[in-house]
């Protein structure tokens, strides 16, 4: 079916929920945000329904024109049964049957997946992955979430947790990861892990340029402070940046040889820093991937960037229809 129709979606994040109404050909018909810091589902769920219905009405549409709804949530969650179990940043969201609630209150079929898969689907249907059959998306943000499209389908895996690329172990005796394993890719290249590492290593150096770029407060040291120190050629910053680029190249090279993708689409860090990230990473890739796989693959930056949260939920809805044979992607 090549007809054009609207889908609605919610992207549940640690501090806010993105609500997007998108047409199947990629036009953003409506968007809003719900603050979601330390909140209780009892107050947020009715708001999701109210705002979703308002977006549909404001776009001049009726609810029965909305073919599907998609919900993106951080892992871990019970994706099979549509239940938000207890995400790390949401201590009050314990065993919330989100799919049942949303589908009942809207009267529309509802699909559910993790936020990184949602980002992958958003780029695939509406962004840098359009028209490709084999693509990988990496969030490259505070953590490293991943999603994999192989042979034209999102890989879900036997227990629905496929695509946890951030937790491939790159260094068995390396840095401890927040997930419990040691030496994960995310422990080297996730924004939060790098910030924590700098806070530890620079704890007794209040005059260090990185600490100064964070306003002199060690607890505020983050990727932005690092980036500034790298552009000033600070030795510590450049060594850390170069180690990070090498680890990223290692991970991308592994993905190239395993999945042989046409594109690897990179989120926040890549588009926020541009060439100072992309160039050293590309230079290192030949150490980690065969000529055949790297020549077939282009590293690209996310196209949807900051707006990805509005497209994430709708992309899950579209993928639900696509997998049932009710939607043919462009
Ligand atoms: Zn890990």
């Amino acid at each position: 079916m090549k007809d054009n129709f609207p889908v609605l979606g919610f992207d549940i994040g640690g501090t806010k929920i993105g609500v997007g109404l998108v047409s199947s050909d990629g036009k953003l018909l409506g968007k809003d945000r719900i603050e979601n810091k330390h909140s209780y589902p009892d107050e947020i769920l009715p708001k999701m329904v109210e705002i979703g219905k308002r977006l549909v009405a404001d776009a001049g549409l009726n609810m029965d024109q909305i073919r599907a709804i998609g919900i993106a949530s951080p892992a871990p969650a019970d994706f099979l049964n549509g239940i938000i179990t207890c995400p790390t940043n949401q201590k009050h969201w314990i065993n919330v049957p989100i799919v049942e609630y949303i589908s009942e209150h809207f009267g529309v079929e509802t699909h559910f997946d993790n936020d990184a898969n949602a980002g992958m689907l958003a780029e695939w249907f509406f962004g840098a992955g359009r028209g490709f059959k084999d693509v990988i998306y990496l969030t490259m943000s505070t953590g490293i979430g991943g999603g994999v499209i192989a042979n034209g389908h999102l890989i879900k895996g036997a227990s629905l947790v496929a695509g946890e690329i951030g937790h491939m172990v790159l260094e068995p005796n390396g840095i401890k990861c927040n997930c419990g394993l040691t030496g994960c890719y995310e422990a080297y290249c996730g924004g939060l892990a790098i910030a924590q590492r700098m806070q530890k290593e620079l704890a007794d150096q209040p005059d260090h340029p990185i600490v100064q770029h964070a306003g002199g407060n060690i607890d505020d040291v983050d990727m932005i402070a690092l980036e500034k120190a790298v552009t000033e050629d600070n030795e510590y910053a450049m060594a850390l940046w170069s180690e990070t680029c090498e680890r990223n190249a290692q991970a991308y090279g592994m993905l190239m040889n395993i999945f042989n993708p046409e594109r690897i689409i990179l989120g926040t860090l890549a588009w926020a820093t541009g060439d100072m990230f992309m160039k050293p990473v590309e230079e290192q890739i030949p150490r980690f991937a065969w000529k055949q796989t790297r020549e077939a693959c282009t590293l690209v930056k996310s196209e949807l960037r900051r707006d990805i949260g509005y497209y994430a939920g709708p992309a899950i809805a579209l993928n639900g229809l696509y997998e049932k044979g009710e939607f043919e992607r462009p």
Side-chain angles (χ1 to χ4, degrees):
M1 268 181 265
K2 285 266 184 196
D3 60 334
N4 196 13
F5 57 89
V7 282
L8 180 66
F10 301 92
D11 181 23
I12 302 177
T15 55
K16 48 196 176 282
I17 297 174
V19 191
L21 178 66
V22 175
S23 64
S24 56
D25 66 353
K27 281 190 196 71
L28 189 56
L29 306 172
K31 62 172 184 174
D32 206 340
R33 264 181 186 185
I34 304 170
E35 288 306 317
N36 189 33
K37 224 172 183 174
H38 314 300
S39 60
Y40 287 84
D42 289 354
E43 56 181 282
I44 294 295
L45 294 174
K47 255 190 216 172
M48 289 170 69
V49 175
E50 183 200 317
I51 289 174
K53 287 189 173 168
R54 182 169 50 71
L55 287 189
V56 171
D58 287 352
L61 299 164
N62 296 316
M63 242 6 260
D64 55 13
Q65 290 172 276
I66 307 300
R67 193 106 43 103
I69 295 176
I71 302 166
S73 158
D78 180 351
F79 291 104
L80 185 63
N81 297 303
I83 296 168
I84 294 180
T85 45
C86 186
T88 341
N89 299 327
Q90 294 292 351
K91 58 181 168 149
H92 305 305
W93 288 60
I94 299 161
N95 298 329
V96 180
I98 187 89
V99 169
E100 189 188 316
Y101 185 92
I102 292 293
S103 62
E104 273 177 11
H105 282 79
F106 283 94
V108 174
E109 70 171 73
T110 301
H111 300 269
F112 185 43
D113 213 324
N114 76 56
D115 45 10
N117 280 347
M120 172 73 267
L121 292 169
E123 289 289 343
W124 192 42
F125 287 122
F126 310 122
R130 250 172 322 192
F132 294 98
K133 217 157 55 82
D134 293 278
V135 271
I136 295 174
Y137 169 71
L138 292 167
T139 57
M140 304 302 300
S141 181
T142 47
I144 297 186
V148 179
I149 305 276
N151 200 23
H153 294 276
L154 180 76
I155 297 184
K156 296 219 171 195
S159 43
L160 306 180
V161 290
E164 286 294 347
I165 294 163
H167 303 281
M168 311 191 277
V169 172
L170 302 185
E171 191 59 62
N173 300 308
I175 300 176
K176 187 104 181 127
C177 180
N178 292 328
C179 79
L181 294 174
T182 296
C184 291
Y185 170 32
E186 182 174 292
Y188 287 90
C189 297
L192 182 64
I194 294 174
Q196 285 169 345
R197 176 173 169 186
M198 291 188 290
Q199 288 164 12
K200 214 165 117 193
E201 291 176 355
L202 301 174
D204 55 356
Q205 297 181 55
D207 297 329
H208 195 281
I210 294 179
V211 185
Q212 289 303 309
H213 284 307
N217 186 355
I218 187 77
D219 295 330
D220 290 337
V221 162
D222 60 4
M223 289 301 283
I224 294 167
L226 172 63
E227 193 193 324
K228 285 181 184 157
V230 172
T231 57
E232 293 166 359
D233 295 340
N234 172 263
E235 204 180 325
Y236 170 89
M238 281 164 63
L240 181 56
W241 190 258
S242 139
E243 184 190 333
T244 304
C245 290
E246 183 184 47
R247 288 294 179 190
N248 278 307
Q250 183 185 8
Y252 305 159
M254 287 163 78
L255 294 173
M256 286 177 190
N257 272 13
I258 296 168
F259 294 103
N260 191 192
E262 299 158 279
R263 285 194 153 188
I264 296 179
I265 302 167
L266 304 171
T268 315
L269 181 67
W271 58 259
T273 59
D275 279 354
M276 77 181 262
F277 176 77
M278 298 295 274
K279 281 206 169 137
V281 168
E282 276 166 352
E283 273 168 26
Q284 300 270 347
I285 298 258
R287 294 173 56 207
F288 303 107
W290 288 343
K291 190 168 183 281
Q292 286 153 290
T293 62
R294 52 173 213 266
E295 282 181 356
C297 182
T298 318
L299 286 184
V300 295
K301 296 170 220 159
S302 156
E303 262 179 36
L304 301 173
R305 301 190 175 191
R306 276 184 223 287
D307 280 343
I308 201 159
Y310 301 120
Y311 287 94
I316 290 177
L318 266 191
N319 195 53
L321 297 171
Y322 166 72
E323 288 293 353
K324 284 166 50 181
E326 292 174 14
F327 169 65
E328 201 177 298
R329 67 191 175 88

